Amino acid sequence: QVQLVESGGASVQAGGSLRLSCAASGLPINRNCMGWFRQAPGKEREGVARYWGGGASSWYADSVKGRFTISQDIANNTVYLQMNTLKPDDTAMYFCAADWRPDCAFRDATDFPYRGQGTQVTVSS
């Protein structure tokens, strides 16, 4: 059974940083597609970042490129999302997502079949 548990969400001021964690069980994070998406109130879900190929390939939304970094800790089967230079527009519930497929170059994290319960990120100006 696949389980994803996010943590690390918090309230921060604009310009600050946060690191979200996603503890995974039931699938190896270095052999599958792993990603993050977010959803703000009244807005559609938005894919933020994902990787595949054991982490060799990654994709980022234009809105976070250069500020967010997705990474993996294989020993702890945990995926991270490092978020720097946060903006009020980054305020949302952030979800970790997973897919058994080894390649998701053309598949957004919002379409992955497994997701966690989410962690809230609030950025104030």
Side-chain angles (χ1 to χ4, degrees):
Q1 184 178 0
V2 176
Q3 282 194 316
L4 305 171
V5 180
E6 304 96 333
S7 61
S11 295
V12 298
Q13 291 203 329
S17 297
L18 282 175
R19 189 178 76 162
L20 305 183
S21 300
C22 171
S25 59
L27 85 171
I29 63 168
N30 62 327
R31 299 181 186 176
N32 306 287
C33 291
M34 299 296 300
W36 293 88
F37 67 90
R38 64 188 180 186
Q39 186 163 26
K43 295 186 178 180
E44 293 195 359
R45 293 178 301 173
E46 175 190 22
V48 173
R50 66 184 186 269
Y51 71 72
W52 61 97
S57 299
S58 59
W59 172 93
Y60 294 91
D62 287 342
S63 57
V64 307
K65 202 171 292 183
R67 300 188 297 122
F68 290 13
T69 303
I70 187 171
S71 63
Q72 58 179 268
D73 178 348
I74 298 172
N76 292 302
N77 216 45
T78 298
V79 179
Y80 298 104
L81 184 68
Q82 178 67 42
M83 306 187 297
N84 298 328
T85 320
L86 283 161
K87 305 175 182 179
D89 283 348
D90 294 320
T91 295
M93 184 74 79
Y94 283 73
F95 297 86
C96 177
D99 193 328
W100 281 107
R101 301 166 196 251
D103 186 333
C104 51
F106 302 102
R107 185 173 175 88
D108 193 77
T110 56
D111 294 324
F112 291 0
Y114 302 103
R115 61 192 60 171
Q117 83 289 348
T119 186
Q120 178 68 38
V121 172
T122 303
V123 185
S124 58
S125 57

PDB file of all heavy atoms in Angstrom, residues 70-103:
ATOM      1  N   ILE A  70      13.263  20.226  -6.212  1.00  0.00           N
ATOM      2  CA  ILE A  70      12.798  18.919  -5.751  1.00  0.00           C
ATOM      3  C   ILE A  70      14.007  17.997  -5.625  1.00  0.00           C
ATOM      4  O   ILE A  70      14.899  18.016  -6.476  1.00  0.00           O
ATOM      5  CB  ILE A  70      11.735  18.328  -6.705  1.00  0.00           C
ATOM      6  CG1 ILE A  70      11.134  17.057  -6.123  1.00  0.00           C
ATOM      7  CG2 ILE A  70      12.298  18.101  -8.101  1.00  0.00           C
ATOM      8  CD1 ILE A  70       9.922  16.548  -6.898  1.00  0.00           C
ATOM      9  N   SER A  71      14.042  17.223  -4.549  1.00  0.00           N
ATOM     10  CA  SER A  71      15.175  16.325  -4.336  1.00  0.00           C
ATOM     11  C   SER A  71      14.695  15.085  -3.592  1.00  0.00           C
ATOM     12  O   SER A  71      13.549  15.012  -3.148  1.00  0.00           O
ATOM     13  CB  SER A  71      16.279  17.032  -3.545  1.00  0.00           C
ATOM     14  OG  SER A  71      15.828  17.392  -2.252  1.00  0.00           O
ATOM     15  N   GLN A  72      15.609  14.128  -3.476  1.00  0.00           N
ATOM     16  CA  GLN A  72      15.252  12.872  -2.843  1.00  0.00           C
ATOM     17  C   GLN A  72      16.320  12.420  -1.862  1.00  0.00           C
ATOM     18  O   GLN A  72      17.500  12.688  -2.058  1.00  0.00           O
ATOM     19  CB  GLN A  72      15.048  11.776  -3.914  1.00  0.00           C
ATOM     20  CG  GLN A  72      16.275  11.565  -4.775  1.00  0.00           C
ATOM     21  CD  GLN A  72      16.081  10.480  -5.815  1.00  0.00           C
ATOM     22  OE1 GLN A  72      16.392   9.324  -5.566  1.00  0.00           O
ATOM     23  NE2 GLN A  72      15.556  10.856  -6.976  1.00  0.00           N
ATOM     24  N   ASP A  73      15.878  11.768  -0.807  1.00  0.00           N
ATOM     25  CA  ASP A  73      16.762  11.105   0.157  1.00  0.00           C
ATOM     26  C   ASP A  73      16.413   9.622   0.067  1.00  0.00           C
ATOM     27  O   ASP A  73      15.429   9.170   0.659  1.00  0.00           O
ATOM     28  CB  ASP A  73      16.520  11.666   1.554  1.00  0.00           C
ATOM     29  CG  ASP A  73      17.366  10.985   2.614  1.00  0.00           C
ATOM     30  OD1 ASP A  73      17.976   9.929   2.335  1.00  0.00           O
ATOM     31  OD2 ASP A  73      17.426  11.502   3.735  1.00  0.00           O
ATOM     32  N   ILE A  74      17.217   8.896  -0.692  1.00  0.00           N
ATOM     33  CA  ILE A  74      16.888   7.509  -0.967  1.00  0.00           C
ATOM     34  C   ILE A  74      16.924   6.661   0.309  1.00  0.00           C
ATOM     35  O   ILE A  74      16.082   5.799   0.530  1.00  0.00           O
ATOM     36  CB  ILE A  74      17.841   6.926  -2.026  1.00  0.00           C
ATOM     37  CG1 ILE A  74      17.673   7.694  -3.338  1.00  0.00           C
ATOM     38  CG2 ILE A  74      17.578   5.439  -2.237  1.00  0.00           C
ATOM     39  CD1 ILE A  74      18.693   7.336  -4.394  1.00  0.00           C
ATOM     40  N   ALA A  75      17.889   6.933   1.168  1.00  0.00           N
ATOM     41  CA  ALA A  75      18.037   6.140   2.390  1.00  0.00           C
ATOM     42  C   ALA A  75      16.785   6.212   3.259  1.00  0.00           C
ATOM     43  O   ALA A  75      16.407   5.230   3.904  1.00  0.00           O
ATOM     44  CB  ALA A  75      19.258   6.617   3.170  1.00  0.00           C
ATOM     45  N   ASN A  76      16.136   7.372   3.253  1.00  0.00           N
ATOM     46  CA  ASN A  76      14.940   7.561   4.070  1.00  0.00           C
ATOM     47  C   ASN A  76      13.655   7.539   3.251  1.00  0.00           C
ATOM     48  O   ASN A  76      12.578   7.769   3.801  1.00  0.00           O
ATOM     49  CB  ASN A  76      15.025   8.878   4.840  1.00  0.00           C
ATOM     50  CG  ASN A  76      16.101   8.841   5.902  1.00  0.00           C
ATOM     51  OD1 ASN A  76      16.070   7.993   6.786  1.00  0.00           O
ATOM     52  ND2 ASN A  76      17.070   9.744   5.813  1.00  0.00           N
ATOM     53  N   ASN A  77      13.802   7.251   1.956  1.00  0.00           N
ATOM     54  CA  ASN A  77      12.640   7.198   1.061  1.00  0.00           C
ATOM     55  C   ASN A  77      11.764   8.441   1.209  1.00  0.00           C
ATOM     56  O   ASN A  77      10.535   8.357   1.352  1.00  0.00           O
ATOM     57  CB  ASN A  77      11.802   5.933   1.298  1.00  0.00           C
ATOM     58  CG  ASN A  77      11.211   5.385   0.010  1.00  0.00           C
ATOM     59  OD1 ASN A  77      11.888   5.290  -1.011  1.00  0.00           O
ATOM     60  ND2 ASN A  77       9.945   5.024   0.041  1.00  0.00           N
ATOM     61  N   THR A  78      12.420   9.580   1.181  1.00  0.00           N
ATOM     62  CA  THR A  78      11.750  10.863   1.408  1.00  0.00           C
ATOM     63  C   THR A  78      12.056  11.817   0.259  1.00  0.00           C
ATOM     64  O   THR A  78      13.199  11.897  -0.205  1.00  0.00           O
ATOM     65  CB  THR A  78      12.199  11.478   2.734  1.00  0.00           C
ATOM     66  OG1 THR A  78      11.829  10.600   3.804  1.00  0.00           O
ATOM     67  CG2 THR A  78      11.559  12.843   2.955  1.00  0.00           C
ATOM     68  N   VAL A  79      11.038  12.509  -0.165  1.00  0.00           N
ATOM     69  CA  VAL A  79      11.168  13.523  -1.213  1.00  0.00           C
ATOM     70  C   VAL A  79      11.034  14.897  -0.565  1.00  0.00           C
ATOM     71  O   VAL A  79      10.211  15.084   0.333  1.00  0.00           O
ATOM     72  CB  VAL A  79      10.090  13.347  -2.293  1.00  0.00           C
ATOM     73  CG1 VAL A  79      10.211  14.423  -3.372  1.00  0.00           C
ATOM     74  CG2 VAL A  79      10.197  11.956  -2.920  1.00  0.00           C
ATOM     75  N   TYR A  80      11.831  15.839  -1.037  1.00  0.00           N
ATOM     76  CA  TYR A  80      11.804  17.185  -0.484  1.00  0.00           C
ATOM     77  C   TYR A  80      11.430  18.202  -1.555  1.00  0.00           C
ATOM     78  O   TYR A  80      11.661  17.991  -2.748  1.00  0.00           O
ATOM     79  CB  TYR A  80      13.169  17.564   0.082  1.00  0.00           C
ATOM     80  CG  TYR A  80      13.618  16.677   1.215  1.00  0.00           C
ATOM     81  CD1 TYR A  80      14.597  15.705   1.005  1.00  0.00           C
ATOM     82  CD2 TYR A  80      13.073  16.809   2.478  1.00  0.00           C
ATOM     83  CE1 TYR A  80      15.010  14.889   2.037  1.00  0.00           C
ATOM     84  CE2 TYR A  80      13.484  15.989   3.526  1.00  0.00           C
ATOM     85  CZ  TYR A  80      14.449  15.027   3.290  1.00  0.00           C
ATOM     86  OH  TYR A  80      14.851  14.216   4.315  1.00  0.00           O
ATOM     87  N   LEU A  81      10.877  19.291  -1.103  1.00  0.00           N
ATOM     88  CA  LEU A  81      10.672  20.454  -1.959  1.00  0.00           C
ATOM     89  C   LEU A  81      11.233  21.658  -1.212  1.00  0.00           C
ATOM     90  O   LEU A  81      10.639  22.123  -0.240  1.00  0.00           O
ATOM     91  CB  LEU A  81       9.194  20.677  -2.292  1.00  0.00           C
ATOM     92  CG  LEU A  81       8.920  21.822  -3.274  1.00  0.00           C
ATOM     93  CD1 LEU A  81       9.454  21.465  -4.658  1.00  0.00           C
ATOM     94  CD2 LEU A  81       7.426  22.143  -3.353  1.00  0.00           C
ATOM     95  N   GLN A  82      12.401  22.109  -1.638  1.00  0.00           N
ATOM     96  CA  GLN A  82      13.013  23.297  -1.062  1.00  0.00           C
ATOM     97  C   GLN A  82      12.426  24.516  -1.748  1.00  0.00           C
ATOM     98  O   GLN A  82      12.490  24.622  -2.980  1.00  0.00           O
ATOM     99  CB  GLN A  82      14.529  23.264  -1.243  1.00  0.00           C
ATOM    100  CG  GLN A  82      15.246  24.490  -0.713  1.00  0.00           C
ATOM    101  CD  GLN A  82      15.177  24.601   0.789  1.00  0.00           C
ATOM    102  OE1 GLN A  82      15.331  23.623   1.509  1.00  0.00           O
ATOM    103  NE2 GLN A  82      14.931  25.816   1.291  1.00  0.00           N
ATOM    104  N   MET A  83      11.869  25.415  -0.978  1.00  0.00           N
ATOM    105  CA  MET A  83      11.215  26.594  -1.530  1.00  0.00           C
ATOM    106  C   MET A  83      11.902  27.836  -1.001  1.00  0.00           C
ATOM    107  O   MET A  83      11.899  28.093   0.217  1.00  0.00           O
ATOM    108  CB  MET A  83       9.729  26.592  -1.145  1.00  0.00           C
ATOM    109  CG  MET A  83       9.007  25.314  -1.531  1.00  0.00           C
ATOM    110  SD  MET A  83       7.219  25.392  -1.245  1.00  0.00           S
ATOM    111  CE  MET A  83       7.193  25.585   0.515  1.00  0.00           C
ATOM    112  N   ASN A  84      12.503  28.598  -1.881  1.00  0.00           N
ATOM    113  CA  ASN A  84      13.207  29.831  -1.519  1.00  0.00           C
ATOM    114  C   ASN A  84      12.508  31.040  -2.123  1.00  0.00           C
ATOM    115  O   ASN A  84      11.717  30.914  -3.060  1.00  0.00           O
ATOM    116  CB  ASN A  84      14.651  29.766  -2.001  1.00  0.00           C
ATOM    117  CG  ASN A  84      15.441  28.644  -1.385  1.00  0.00           C
ATOM    118  OD1 ASN A  84      15.207  28.251  -0.232  1.00  0.00           O
ATOM    119  ND2 ASN A  84      16.378  28.098  -2.138  1.00  0.00           N
ATOM    120  N   THR A  85      12.826  32.177  -1.585  1.00  0.00           N
ATOM    121  CA  THR A  85      12.273  33.452  -2.073  1.00  0.00           C
ATOM    122  C   THR A  85      10.758  33.340  -2.251  1.00  0.00           C
ATOM    123  O   THR A  85      10.199  33.624  -3.316  1.00  0.00           O
ATOM    124  CB  THR A  85      12.936  33.864  -3.411  1.00  0.00           C
ATOM    125  OG1 THR A  85      14.327  33.583  -3.377  1.00  0.00           O
ATOM    126  CG2 THR A  85      12.738  35.360  -3.662  1.00  0.00           C
ATOM    127  N   LEU A  86      10.107  32.915  -1.214  1.00  0.00           N
ATOM    128  CA  LEU A  86       8.661  32.684  -1.284  1.00  0.00           C
ATOM    129  C   LEU A  86       7.898  33.981  -1.504  1.00  0.00           C
ATOM    130  O   LEU A  86       8.298  35.053  -1.021  1.00  0.00           O
ATOM    131  CB  LEU A  86       8.182  31.993  -0.008  1.00  0.00           C
ATOM    132  CG  LEU A  86       8.508  30.492   0.054  1.00  0.00           C
ATOM    133  CD1 LEU A  86       8.431  29.972   1.478  1.00  0.00           C
ATOM    134  CD2 LEU A  86       7.572  29.718  -0.860  1.00  0.00           C
ATOM    135  N   LYS A  87       6.807  33.855  -2.238  1.00  0.00           N
ATOM    136  CA  LYS A  87       5.944  34.983  -2.561  1.00  0.00           C
ATOM    137  C   LYS A  87       4.530  34.705  -2.047  1.00  0.00           C
ATOM    138  O   LYS A  87       4.144  33.542  -1.887  1.00  0.00           O
ATOM    139  CB  LYS A  87       5.884  35.171  -4.080  1.00  0.00           C
ATOM    140  CG  LYS A  87       7.225  35.322  -4.767  1.00  0.00           C
ATOM    141  CD  LYS A  87       7.048  35.388  -6.279  1.00  0.00           C
ATOM    142  CE  LYS A  87       8.391  35.502  -6.985  1.00  0.00           C
ATOM    143  NZ  LYS A  87       8.223  35.544  -8.462  1.00  0.00           N
ATOM    144  N   PRO A  88       3.750  35.746  -1.828  1.00  0.00           N
ATOM    145  CA  PRO A  88       2.357  35.524  -1.397  1.00  0.00           C
ATOM    146  C   PRO A  88       1.588  34.610  -2.355  1.00  0.00           C
ATOM    147  O   PRO A  88       0.720  33.849  -1.920  1.00  0.00           O
ATOM    148  CB  PRO A  88       1.777  36.941  -1.364  1.00  0.00           C
ATOM    149  CG  PRO A  88       2.964  37.800  -1.031  1.00  0.00           C
ATOM    150  CD  PRO A  88       4.113  37.173  -1.768  1.00  0.00           C
ATOM    151  N   ASP A  89       1.905  34.663  -3.640  1.00  0.00           N
ATOM    152  CA  ASP A  89       1.235  33.804  -4.624  1.00  0.00           C
ATOM    153  C   ASP A  89       1.560  32.326  -4.434  1.00  0.00           C
ATOM    154  O   ASP A  89       0.907  31.471  -5.033  1.00  0.00           O
ATOM    155  CB  ASP A  89       1.623  34.217  -6.049  1.00  0.00           C
ATOM    156  CG  ASP A  89       0.904  35.468  -6.513  1.00  0.00           C
ATOM    157  OD1 ASP A  89      -0.058  35.886  -5.818  1.00  0.00           O
ATOM    158  OD2 ASP A  89       1.288  36.035  -7.552  1.00  0.00           O
ATOM    159  N   ASP A  90       2.558  32.016  -3.617  1.00  0.00           N
ATOM    160  CA  ASP A  90       2.886  30.617  -3.339  1.00  0.00           C
ATOM    161  C   ASP A  90       1.983  30.034  -2.256  1.00  0.00           C
ATOM    162  O   ASP A  90       2.058  28.831  -1.976  1.00  0.00           O
ATOM    163  CB  ASP A  90       4.342  30.499  -2.899  1.00  0.00           C
ATOM    164  CG  ASP A  90       5.325  30.858  -3.998  1.00  0.00           C
ATOM    165  OD1 ASP A  90       5.083  30.488  -5.159  1.00  0.00           O
ATOM    166  OD2 ASP A  90       6.340  31.531  -3.687  1.00  0.00           O
ATOM    167  N   THR A  91       1.156  30.852  -1.658  1.00  0.00           N
ATOM    168  CA  THR A  91       0.252  30.383  -0.620  1.00  0.00           C
ATOM    169  C   THR A  91      -0.702  29.345  -1.175  1.00  0.00           C
ATOM    170  O   THR A  91      -1.407  29.587  -2.157  1.00  0.00           O
ATOM    171  CB  THR A  91      -0.548  31.556  -0.032  1.00  0.00           C
ATOM    172  OG1 THR A  91       0.355  32.447   0.634  1.00  0.00           O
ATOM    173  CG2 THR A  91      -1.595  31.066   0.961  1.00  0.00           C
ATOM    174  N   ALA A  92      -0.705  28.154  -0.567  1.00  0.00           N
ATOM    175  CA  ALA A  92      -1.535  27.049  -1.055  1.00  0.00           C
ATOM    176  C   ALA A  92      -1.345  25.845  -0.152  1.00  0.00           C
ATOM    177  O   ALA A  92      -0.434  25.817   0.682  1.00  0.00           O
ATOM    178  CB  ALA A  92      -1.166  26.670  -2.492  1.00  0.00           C
ATOM    179  N   MET A  93      -2.206  24.855  -0.374  1.00  0.00           N
ATOM    180  CA  MET A  93      -1.969  23.540   0.210  1.00  0.00           C
ATOM    181  C   MET A  93      -1.077  22.790  -0.771  1.00  0.00           C
ATOM    182  O   MET A  93      -1.367  22.746  -1.971  1.00  0.00           O
ATOM    183  CB  MET A  93      -3.290  22.794   0.403  1.00  0.00           C
ATOM    184  CG  MET A  93      -3.151  21.456   1.095  1.00  0.00           C
ATOM    185  SD  MET A  93      -2.824  21.627   2.855  1.00  0.00           S
ATOM    186  CE  MET A  93      -4.477  21.983   3.465  1.00  0.00           C
ATOM    187  N   TYR A  94       0.000  22.227  -0.262  1.00  0.00           N
ATOM    188  CA  TYR A  94       0.959  21.511  -1.104  1.00  0.00           C
ATOM    189  C   TYR A  94       0.804  20.013  -0.876  1.00  0.00           C
ATOM    190  O   TYR A  94       0.764  19.542   0.261  1.00  0.00           O
ATOM    191  CB  TYR A  94       2.380  21.953  -0.776  1.00  0.00           C
ATOM    192  CG  TYR A  94       2.718  23.292  -1.375  1.00  0.00           C
ATOM    193  CD1 TYR A  94       2.179  24.459  -0.851  1.00  0.00           C
ATOM    194  CD2 TYR A  94       3.558  23.407  -2.481  1.00  0.00           C
ATOM    195  CE1 TYR A  94       2.453  25.698  -1.406  1.00  0.00           C
ATOM    196  CE2 TYR A  94       3.856  24.638  -3.042  1.00  0.00           C
ATOM    197  CZ  TYR A  94       3.294  25.776  -2.504  1.00  0.00           C
ATOM    198  OH  TYR A  94       3.579  26.996  -3.063  1.00  0.00           O
ATOM    199  N   PHE A  95       0.750  19.290  -1.984  1.00  0.00           N
ATOM    200  CA  PHE A  95       0.562  17.846  -1.947  1.00  0.00           C
ATOM    201  C   PHE A  95       1.740  17.138  -2.610  1.00  0.00           C
ATOM    202  O   PHE A  95       2.204  17.556  -3.674  1.00  0.00           O
ATOM    203  CB  PHE A  95      -0.716  17.456  -2.689  1.00  0.00           C
ATOM    204  CG  PHE A  95      -1.985  18.012  -2.091  1.00  0.00           C
ATOM    205  CD1 PHE A  95      -2.431  19.272  -2.439  1.00  0.00           C
ATOM    206  CD2 PHE A  95      -2.717  17.267  -1.183  1.00  0.00           C
ATOM    207  CE1 PHE A  95      -3.601  19.797  -1.897  1.00  0.00           C
ATOM    208  CE2 PHE A  95      -3.877  17.773  -0.627  1.00  0.00           C
ATOM    209  CZ  PHE A  95      -4.321  19.040  -0.986  1.00  0.00           C
ATOM    210  N   CYS A  96       2.156  16.062  -1.988  1.00  0.00           N
ATOM    211  CA  CYS A  96       3.126  15.160  -2.587  1.00  0.00           C
ATOM    212  C   CYS A  96       2.359  14.130  -3.401  1.00  0.00           C
ATOM    213  O   CYS A  96       1.260  13.705  -2.997  1.00  0.00           O
ATOM    214  CB  CYS A  96       3.930  14.485  -1.476  1.00  0.00           C
ATOM    215  SG  CYS A  96       5.123  13.263  -2.033  1.00  0.00           S
ATOM    216  N   ALA A  97       2.903  13.727  -4.548  1.00  0.00           N
ATOM    217  CA  ALA A  97       2.223  12.773  -5.412  1.00  0.00           C
ATOM    218  C   ALA A  97       3.213  11.777  -5.989  1.00  0.00           C
ATOM    219  O   ALA A  97       4.400  12.095  -6.158  1.00  0.00           O
ATOM    220  CB  ALA A  97       1.487  13.503  -6.533  1.00  0.00           C
ATOM    221  N   ALA A  98       2.708  10.591  -6.320  1.00  0.00           N
ATOM    222  CA  ALA A  98       3.570   9.531  -6.833  1.00  0.00           C
ATOM    223  C   ALA A  98       2.859   8.723  -7.903  1.00  0.00           C
ATOM    224  O   ALA A  98       1.625   8.616  -7.917  1.00  0.00           O
ATOM    225  CB  ALA A  98       3.999   8.610  -5.695  1.00  0.00           C
ATOM    226  N   ASP A  99       3.669   8.168  -8.780  1.00  0.00           N
ATOM    227  CA  ASP A  99       3.162   7.329  -9.869  1.00  0.00           C
ATOM    228  C   ASP A  99       4.146   6.190 -10.058  1.00  0.00           C
ATOM    229  O   ASP A  99       5.354   6.400  -9.989  1.00  0.00           O
ATOM    230  CB  ASP A  99       3.038   8.176 -11.146  1.00  0.00           C
ATOM    231  CG  ASP A  99       2.226   7.495 -12.236  1.00  0.00           C
ATOM    232  OD1 ASP A  99       2.255   6.251 -12.316  1.00  0.00           O
ATOM    233  OD2 ASP A  99       1.566   8.208 -13.013  1.00  0.00           O
ATOM    234  N   TRP A 100       3.649   5.003 -10.334  1.00  0.00           N
ATOM    235  CA  TRP A 100       4.513   3.856 -10.545  1.00  0.00           C
ATOM    236  C   TRP A 100       5.294   3.962 -11.862  1.00  0.00           C
ATOM    237  O   TRP A 100       6.281   3.256 -12.043  1.00  0.00           O
ATOM    238  CB  TRP A 100       3.705   2.563 -10.562  1.00  0.00           C
ATOM    239  CG  TRP A 100       3.339   2.080  -9.206  1.00  0.00           C
ATOM    240  CD1 TRP A 100       2.097   2.110  -8.621  1.00  0.00           C
ATOM    241  CD2 TRP A 100       4.218   1.498  -8.218  1.00  0.00           C
ATOM    242  NE1 TRP A 100       2.149   1.581  -7.361  1.00  0.00           N
ATOM    243  CE2 TRP A 100       3.424   1.200  -7.090  1.00  0.00           C
ATOM    244  CE3 TRP A 100       5.580   1.203  -8.201  1.00  0.00           C
ATOM    245  CZ2 TRP A 100       3.966   0.607  -5.950  1.00  0.00           C
ATOM    246  CZ3 TRP A 100       6.118   0.619  -7.068  1.00  0.00           C
ATOM    247  CH2 TRP A 100       5.309   0.332  -5.955  1.00  0.00           C
ATOM    248  N   ARG A 101       4.846   4.794 -12.774  1.00  0.00           N
ATOM    249  CA  ARG A 101       5.546   4.915 -14.057  1.00  0.00           C
ATOM    250  C   ARG A 101       6.977   5.405 -13.835  1.00  0.00           C
ATOM    251  O   ARG A 101       7.215   6.268 -13.016  1.00  0.00           O
ATOM    252  CB  ARG A 101       4.822   5.911 -14.968  1.00  0.00           C
ATOM    253  CG  ARG A 101       3.395   5.570 -15.277  1.00  0.00           C
ATOM    254  CD  ARG A 101       2.678   6.753 -15.894  1.00  0.00           C
ATOM    255  NE  ARG A 101       1.232   6.571 -15.851  1.00  0.00           N
ATOM    256  CZ  ARG A 101       0.500   6.327 -16.920  1.00  0.00           C
ATOM    257  NH1 ARG A 101       1.060   6.258 -18.115  1.00  0.00           N
ATOM    258  NH2 ARG A 101      -0.796   6.184 -16.807  1.00  0.00           N
ATOM    259  N   PRO A 102       7.916   4.899 -14.603  1.00  0.00           N
ATOM    260  CA  PRO A 102       9.306   5.348 -14.467  1.00  0.00           C
ATOM    261  C   PRO A 102       9.572   6.656 -15.204  1.00  0.00           C
ATOM    262  O   PRO A 102      10.599   7.294 -14.962  1.00  0.00           O
ATOM    263  CB  PRO A 102      10.098   4.200 -15.091  1.00  0.00           C
ATOM    264  CG  PRO A 102       9.163   3.624 -16.097  1.00  0.00           C
ATOM    265  CD  PRO A 102       7.779   3.745 -15.504  1.00  0.00           C
ATOM    266  N   ASP A 103       8.664   7.031 -16.097  1.00  0.00           N
ATOM    267  CA  ASP A 103       8.861   8.230 -16.904  1.00  0.00           C
ATOM    268  C   ASP A 103       7.578   9.054 -16.895  1.00  0.00           C
ATOM    269  O   ASP A 103       6.513   8.542 -17.227  1.00  0.00           O
ATOM    270  CB  ASP A 103       9.230   7.846 -18.337  1.00  0.00           C
ATOM    271  CG  ASP A 103       9.601   9.047 -19.191  1.00  0.00           C
ATOM    272  OD1 ASP A 103       9.129  10.157 -18.909  1.00  0.00           O
ATOM    273  OD2 ASP A 103      10.374   8.870 -20.138  1.00  0.00           O
TER     274      ASP A 103
END
